[in-house]
Structures are given as structure tokens and as C-alpha cells.
Amino acid sequence: MTSFSHLMKLPSGLMVGRKLEDHLLAVGLAAAMRAANFGGGEFCRQAGLWHDLGKYQARWQQYLSNQQDQDAHIEGRANRPNHSTAGAIYAADKLGPTGRLLAYLIAGHHAGLPDWHSAEQGRAALNYRLTQARDELSDALKAEIPSDILHVPADLALDAARCESGKGLGLSLWLRMLFSCLVDADFLDAEKFFAPEKHAQRPEPVRVSALKPLFDAYMSEKARLAEDTPGNYLRASVLQQCRKAGLLPQGFFSLTVPTGGGKTLSSLAFALEHAAKHGHRRVIYAIPYTSIIEQTAEVFRSIFGEAVLEHHSNLEVRDEDENHANRLAAENWEAPLIVTTNVQLFESLFAARTSRCRKLHNIVGSVIVLDEAQCLPTAFLTPITETLKL
């Protein structure tokens, strides 16, 4: 039986599909490319190859053939067969403890990262799925699955040094970043198939290095028009100090400036200098209040135009409303300058939902500016600072 990962109905009424193996190979490659920045390329490639093994099941193929909904391939909706457990079981069977870690990514690629054992989740817990849902894998393996999909690598291993760092946070964060790569690759490959016209409209990401000349020109003009006052002199001094600090080695920095002292633009000057010095990919500007974020984003857009991505709760879709259409607009933070809230940033680091974690891999290699850092909740300071150090 020919297997498809997706089906859709054309205006003519004809149902068309795509080979499942093409989807698996494409997601594996795209996920590996995303994870290459932090040493998880091969690990993520394997997750991509096995994440939809369950779609080889005869009952899944039968289900798809009876659907006219382009969201039919998403599990977790009423009466839709599970397809994410088969690959998770296969990984755990073939790769032992390493495969069990892969199983977290595969089992959660639609519904979110599962717990290993949780009374609250019951049957959704990963240990239950790995032991009690084995028929999903056996049914899938009855299909003619290409050998390059089922191939088990002999040298797949964790980045032990990275996983052991960060007071126990290293392994958790590394897996979450891998999960982010898998989810983003899966969503974008589905978009490319279902909505090629929208996928083609995605602009090539602007490099953060392209922002610095625009910023320097803007600040030069601003200085030219500024009056010769003590206040403007102090603002210029703060700006110059921030530019110099941007050339220092990577680490944590603090900036204390009174209201009206030019803190927003000066801190951005630091971030752009630091990104240029150390080859960072983007700047993330996190602000505690939505009332301030919109104003800040507007200032940045006046300098950089569409290179600025504004993302906060007022623009977000609820998890339970997630579907094909709004998933196309979901933010994966593929932009050089992100203006967001503390809530969005830290939920990306610690939440389990796919819509929250999808952008996590794009935080790697970023300069993060925490505006009004004194507003961070003290109870969460330890996990926040320890994670940012990794």
C-alpha cells in the first residue's frame, strides 16, 4: 500500500498525497540543520526520521483516505488514531537509554513533551505509552517501510558535557532544544506541502549584522539634530559606554540609567555591538509589560522596518485553538530582532507545549536584553539565571 503523510482536497475534488518517506527525510534534514548550532544534529535527524512511523499503520492510512480536512494528519483530535507512539517505541527498543530520550521528542511532537510518569496525565505518560501501546509499532512495521528510514545508527550519542552542566538543567534544556528543532521542522514541512504559496512568501531572514549600519545611521542623525544640553550630553555618554561594553567578552551585564537617560536605544546599541563582535544570530529584547513593549517595538520598527518581530500575549493564539491556519502564523522567532515579554521568553525555556517550545532553538546564539530586570520574580531567579548561563 502506498503511504502518505498528508492528504488534501483540491477544488476539483481530487485527493492528492505525498509519500510519507519524503516527509520523514525532509523533516530529519531540516531538524538536523537547526540543531547543528548546539551539537544535536544527528540526534535530531533521527527524531525526524522516526517521528511519524505510526502513520504507516493501516488504520491511519485508512483514516486519512476518508478525510477531506488538511488538518487530518494532526493527532490529538477526536476520533483520530495515535501515530506518535510507534516511533517512540522503536527508538527506545533500538537505542536503549539514548532511544528513550529520543522517545520524548517523538511522542510529544504534536501534544507537547510528556512526563515519564504522571498520575495527572495517566495514559499520556511516556512510560505507559512505551509499554502499553506496542501494537501501534507492530502494525506500522507490517508496511513496506524503506530501509533508510528504519536504519539504526551505531554512533548516536548524547552531548554528555552539555547535558551534565547547569545544575541538572543541562539535559532538560538540551532535549527541549532538540524538541524545538523537530517541531519547527515538522510544522514548516507541512506548511510547504499544504500552503506552498504562503511558504514561498516567507522572506529570507535578515542577518542581525545588517541592522547595525541602520542603527548607526539613525543614531548619527539623532545626534546631529539634538540640542546641546546637559541631558543630551549624558545620553550620549551612556550610549558610548554601552557601545564599548558591547566589545567585551560574553557574559552578564547590567545597565542602570534613570528615566529619560536613553536606556532603550543604548541597550540596543550594546546588543548590536555584542552580536557583531561574537557572531550572534539575533537580539531578543524582553520587557515585563505589554504597555511598554508596543511602544518599544514601534521605535525599533521606525529604524529597522519589518526586521523587527513583536511577539506577546495580545498577538498569540490559545493552544486549544491551534490549527493549520494559525500554525502558519505561529512565531518561531526566525527574525534578527525580537521584541517580546518576559513571559514569552521564559515560557519558551520552560514550557512543554509545542507552540511555546517551537522557537527555543532560535534563542541559541542570541543577545538577550532583559528590560527592567528588577521585575523578575525572585522565586524564579535561580532557574532563569542558570538556564541563561548554559
Side-chain angles (χ1 to χ4, degrees), residues 79-155:
N79 302 318
R80 297 183 183 183
N82 180 284
H83 72 263
S84 61
T85 302
I89 295 173
Y90 189 75
D93 285 354
K94 297 298 182 180
L95 292 171
T98 298
R100 185 175 292 180
L101 294 175
L102 266 180
Y104 278 101
L105 316 181
I106 296 169
H109 76 272
H110 278 302
L113 283 167
D115 290 333
W116 173 251
H117 177 73
S118 171
E120 295 179 0
Q121 291 190 10
R123 293 188 177 184
L126 184 59
N127 70 334
Y128 178 92
R129 294 170 65 178
L130 294 181
T131 57
Q132 302 299 319
R134 299 194 63 85
D135 60 318
E136 294 183 25
L137 176 60
S138 60
D139 289 347
L141 292 177
K142 293 176 183 177
E144 297 180 2
I145 305 177
S147 59
D148 55 343
I149 299 297
L150 293 178
H151 173 70
V152 180
D155 55 352

Side-chain angles (χ1 to χ4, degrees), residues 189-246:
D189 190 69
E191 174 188 303
K192 187 176 182 179
F193 177 70
F194 285 126
E197 69 290 345
K198 292 184 179 180
H199 190 79
Q201 291 174 4
R202 283 183 175 269
E204 287 294 323
V206 177
R207 293 183 178 274
V208 69
S209 58
L211 302 187
K212 190 172 181 301
L214 298 176
F215 180 77
D216 291 343
Y218 175 86
M219 295 305 293
S220 294
E221 181 65 8
K222 192 176 181 66
R224 186 182 70 82
L225 298 176
E227 297 180 6
D228 187 9
T229 65
N232 283 335
Y233 174 81
L234 290 175
R235 292 187 191 95
S237 176
V238 170
L239 175 65
Q240 186 61 28
Q241 291 179 58
C242 285
R243 289 186 184 277
K244 289 182 179 179

